[in-house]
Amino acid sequence: MRWFHDVVVTVLALLLLGGVAQAQGTNPAATKAHLAISLVAETSAPAAGSSVTVALASVPAPGWHGYWQNPGDAGFPAKLDWTLPKGVTASVPAYPVPGRLIVADLMNYVFEKPYAPLVTLKITAGLAVGTALPVRLKTNYLVCSAEVCVPESAELAIDLVVGDGAITPEARARFDAWRRAVPKPLDARGSFQIAGGKVRIAVPYPAGAPLGQAYFYPVTTGLIDYAAPQSVTQDRDRIVIETKASPNGASTGALEGVLQIGAQQGLVVTAAPGRVAASATVAHPVSGGVLSATLIAFAGAMLGGLILNIMPCVFPILSLKALSLARGHLDERAARQEALAYAAGVIAVCVALGGIILGLRAGGTAVGWAFQLQDPRAIVVLLLLTVALALNLSGLFELPTPSFVNRSGGASGAFATGALAAFIATPCTGPFMGAALGAALVLPWPAALAVFAGLGLGLALPFLALGFVPALRRRLPKPGLWMETFRRILAIPMWLTAIALAWVLGHEAGVNGMAIGLLVAFVLAVLLWVGGVRQAKGLAIGPVVTVLLLATVIASALLIAGRRPDSVAAVATVPGGAEPFSEARLATLQKAGRPVFVYFTADWCLTCKVNEKAAIETDATRKAFADHKVAVLIGDWTNGDPVMGRFIEAHNRAGVPLYLYYAPGSAEPRVLPQVLTSAMLAGL
């Protein structure tokens, strides 16, 4: 409907003014025009077989403006009608980077200061020196003020003569200044994606190169909502622009435009339709929405951390800390100190893991939350820690003070307990963590670290409440023999966690790797049994046993180090009817018009496995998918595939699980919740 608006603007201008203010004349342009235009050549004696640049030197009157090649929501660009001698051709004009002017919610791409579109005239070879080259131009254009628009016209002329092509220093300096304002062509091709009413454009751009006053001016019409705000991000070796799509926008052809990268500096960009991953860094410039986004992500992460307390790998540790308070041997001050120390340990580990993730991603590595579980060495260390905790809970030995799980208090032991709880909680991903941690990875790093701290605060919140609220501690059961029985019961989920970690180790390092892990766990158990026997005799565990324990943990990591995922000669299996995920396969299914359910999982992700058994791999879901011909693609991220990691990152997630449903004909997926039910999937 832009053409309709242009017509209305022109008609209203004619009616309001009762006539058209026209600029008729040659160089210089008539002074009555609101936009004075002069035709200037870089040299008046171009050589035959060469080219000469001519400028449409334009000077708007104060308070008036001319229009860029794409005028935006209103106006129209200058129309150029050349009359050229035989053997001379004119290029399309190269405009400088425009400015922006919003009037009545309409975006205008304009020039409010003097500017000069540049046109290249190509002179054919073989013309004799002294041949006259009369150049004539009739131009019709629109010039506007804040109140009114006036269509004007000008007839311009310049007489050239074939010569030696000499350029005076004054002319060269003047044209060099005009050329600096014209955007430079970008050699590399960009890409863009239209989905969900938004346009995302990726432009290759060197990491670390300066970027200021960034804005994308579209030359291609009909794809972008001009008046919508833009988010421009410098993301490593690319720039990502996000804005609202035009209601009728379609990504069928290339998108051309100008990316402003500084004052009067720009790049001519051509982008092809394709998939564009979201930026992993904060938009430039930072908007006021960062604070609200941070607060929302912080609240979501804190809720996720709170839920983690009921997971089997965390609940036993929290329960034992609660029982230590139930014994009632601590005064108010000591109880608060233990609670703060426990919280400090939890938050320190969460922030440290988050900082490592941000650092790795800044270096170009696609990692997400629980990234350490993609390394078999981390898995085997976790396995040994879990086995040790399970043996401790089973009563085989007592950890000396300061201890990971202690019953005698102490700030150092509480800090270590909190650190351990946070470290082994990562595979037990809570259902509200994904979106919050995904948001953390696109926020400024101080805000992102605050979100990771929110996760730790949520994980520590129950013990903080027990430490600071005496009424809650009084509600705990009275000490008694039942506590020893309960302690043995708590060993069960820890043993189950150890079994799950051994299974994950087998998937990451093969059967031989799992055998090594189990063997080392057996050696650890024997050493702890020896320590427990010494404790029963009233002796300390002893330095020899302690050194052997440390050597066992170090040796396990070294033995497993050579068994990286690439060396495992195993083929990933998928449930019947499903296929391994690849972007190419997804594109093929979408092109065929099939509905597609894609889910990303990992062997170390507890929530993933629960969802698979309780919702995805049920008979009801299989039947519903078969009835509706829903294709199922599975992305196994156990070993941290970087290509898959970037795809997950593109959907603003920090890790797994991630569940996507692509309806037939839809380019963008519907992101499903992280806790699934069979009924939810059957209703897709």
Side-chain angles (χ1 to χ4, degrees):
M1 296 297 289
R2 191 175 295 108
W3 64 270
F4 178 76
H5 183 275
D6 295 344
V7 171
V8 171
V9 168
T10 303
V11 171
L12 286 176
L14 291 172
L15 292 176
L16 288 171
L17 297 179
V20 178
Q22 295 186 354
Q24 303 281 354
T26 59
N27 296 344
T31 58
K32 292 183 179 179
H34 298 94
L35 179 64
I37 303 177
S38 300
L39 197 58
V40 182
E42 190 170 15
T43 176
S44 59
S50 68
S51 59
V52 57
T53 301
V54 296
L56 281 70
S58 307
V59 182
W64 293 78
H65 57 262
Y67 285 90
W68 189 51
Q69 61 196 96
N70 176 5
D73 287 321
F76 56 81
K79 296 176 174 57
L80 307 180
D81 183 12
W82 294 94
T83 301
L84 302 171
K86 186 177 180 180
V88 178
T89 58
S91 70
V92 296
Y95 281 83
V97 179
R100 303 185 296 278
L101 179 66
I102 295 182
V103 179
D105 296 327
L106 298 176
M107 173 63 76
N108 297 264
Y109 298 142
V110 301
F111 298 101
E112 298 179 284
K113 296 179 180 179
Y115 63 101
L118 301 180
V119 176
T120 299
L121 299 181
K122 188 173 182 180
I123 314 299
T124 190
L127 295 179
V129 174
T131 302
L133 300 174
V135 176
R136 303 291 182 264
L137 171 65
K138 182 175 182 180
T139 176
N140 296 285
Y141 54 91
L142 187 70
V143 59
C144 297
S145 69
E147 293 81 22
V148 66
C149 289
V150 179
E152 295 184 346
S153 67
E155 292 185 1
L156 309 173
I158 191 169
D159 293 316
L160 307 177
V161 177
V162 176
D164 59 3
I167 302 174
T168 64
E170 295 80 7
R172 187 178 298 279
R174 189 180 187 189
F175 272 81
D176 284 347
W178 281 332
R179 286 192 182 97
R180 283 193 293 270
V182 173
K184 306 300 183 288
L186 184 66
D187 294 336
R189 193 175 180 88
S191 58
F192 76 100
Q193 177 181 358
I194 298 179
K198 292 187 178 296
V199 180
R200 185 182 296 152
I201 309 164
V203 179
Y205 194 75
L211 179 66
Q213 303 181 25
Y215 189 87
F216 182 76
Y217 294 91
V219 173
T220 303
T221 61
L223 292 181
I224 291 178
D225 185 337
Y226 304 136
Q230 294 185 3
S231 169
V232 182
T233 305
Q234 191 168 7
D235 181 23
R236 297 192 289 272
D237 58 352
R238 63 176 188 154
I239 293 173
V240 179
I241 305 105
E242 295 191 37
T243 188
K244 184 179 178 182
S246 176
N248 299 319
S251 55
T252 55
L255 170 63
E256 296 182 359
V258 168
L259 175 64
Q260 183 173 355
I261 58 174
Q264 294 300 306
Q265 290 181 295
L267 299 172
V268 178
V269 174
T270 300
R275 189 180 296 276
V276 178
S279 172
T281 56
V282 66
H284 174 89
V286 179
S287 66
V290 170
L291 178 60
S292 60
T294 303
L295 292 176
I296 292 171
F298 181 90
M302 192 166 68
L303 180 58
L306 186 62
I307 293 174
L308 279 178
N309 284 284
I310 64 174
M311 296 298 177
C313 48
V314 179
F315 182 71
I317 300 174
L318 175 65
S319 299
L320 284 184
K321 291 305 299 176
L323 291 180
S324 71
L325 294 181
R327 293 179 181 274
H329 65 282
L330 298 178
D331 57 26
E332 292 298 322
R333 183 171 179 272
R336 289 194 294 269
Q337 284 181 340
E338 278 216 17
L340 289 173
Y342 179 86
V346 173
I347 294 172
V349 169
C350 288
V351 171
L353 288 174
I356 294 171
I357 291 173
L358 295 175
L360 291 174
R361 291 167 72 96
T365 304
V367 298
W369 185 249
F371 70 96
Q372 71 276 14
L373 299 176
Q374 296 164 350
D375 189 329
R377 292 169 295 185
I379 295 293
V380 76
V381 171
L382 269 177
L383 172 63
L384 297 183
L385 285 173
T386 307
V387 168
L389 284 171
L391 292 172
N392 175 257
L393 293 171
S394 301
L396 185 68
F397 75 103
E398 295 296 331
L399 287 171
T401 303
S403 60
F404 283 160
V405 181
N406 63 82
R407 297 177 293 169
S408 58
S412 58
F415 182 92
T417 305
L420 177 66
F423 187 68
I424 69 173
T426 48
C428 302
T429 306
F432 295 96
M433 287 171 59
L437 296 180
L441 301 181
V442 298
L443 290 170
W445 69 265
L449 291 181
V451 174
F452 286 110
L455 173 64
L457 180 60
L459 186 58
L461 203 55
F463 195 68
L464 277 173
L466 288 172
F468 278 82
V469 182
L472 291 178
R473 294 201 302 277
R474 287 194 293 268
R475 290 181 176 273
L476 293 173
K478 299 297 181 183
L481 292 177
W482 68 270
M483 296 177 70
E484 289 303 316
T485 303
F486 184 60
R487 179 183 175 185
R488 304 296 189 271
I489 294 173
L490 290 177
I492 296 174
M494 294 309 297
W495 281 118
L496 293 175
T497 301
I499 293 170
L501 288 169
W503 178 72
V504 173
L505 183 61
H507 275 251
E508 293 194 13
V511 174
N512 291 338
M514 181 172 65
I516 291 173
L518 293 176
L519 178 62
V520 175
F522 171 74
V523 173
L524 178 77
V526 172
L527 291 173
L528 291 176
W529 172 72
V530 172
V533 170
R534 289 179 58 84
Q535 288 176 332
K537 296 178 181 179
L539 303 173
I541 285 181
V544 175
V545 176
T546 302
V547 170
L548 288 175
L549 286 171
L550 291 175
T552 300
V553 175
I554 295 171
S556 66
L558 294 176
L559 285 171
I560 215 74
R563 301 184 176 276
R564 301 296 299 145
D566 337 356
S567 64
V568 180
V571 179
T573 58
V574 295
E579 301 177 65
F581 168 81
S582 71
E583 293 191 57
R585 182 56 180 157
L586 173 61
T588 300
L589 291 169
Q590 287 183 280
K591 189 175 180 179
R594 291 277 302 277
V596 186
F597 173 64
V598 184
Y599 68 94
F600 295 89
T601 181
D603 290 340
W604 39 261
C605 172
L606 180 62
T607 304
C608 302
K609 298 307 170 186
V610 171
N611 281 332
E612 286 158 28
K613 297 304 178 186
I616 299 174
E617 297 173 10
T618 64
D619 292 338
T621 301
R622 289 194 185 98
K623 184 179 184 304
F625 282 176
D627 291 344
H628 295 89
K629 293 182 170 53
V630 177
V632 179
L633 300 180
I634 303 175
D636 188 342
W637 204 46
T638 300
N639 293 327
D641 180 356
V643 175
M644 204 174 295
R646 284 189 286 272
F647 186 88
I648 293 170
E649 176 187 336
H651 292 81
N652 294 323
R653 285 292 184 270
V656 291
L658 173 62
Y659 305 107
L660 307 173
Y661 176 70
Y662 292 83
S666 175
E668 279 299 295
R670 171 186 165 194
V671 181
L672 302 179
Q674 290 191 291
V675 175
L676 301 178
T677 64
S678 186
M680 180 192 303
L681 295 177
L684 291 176

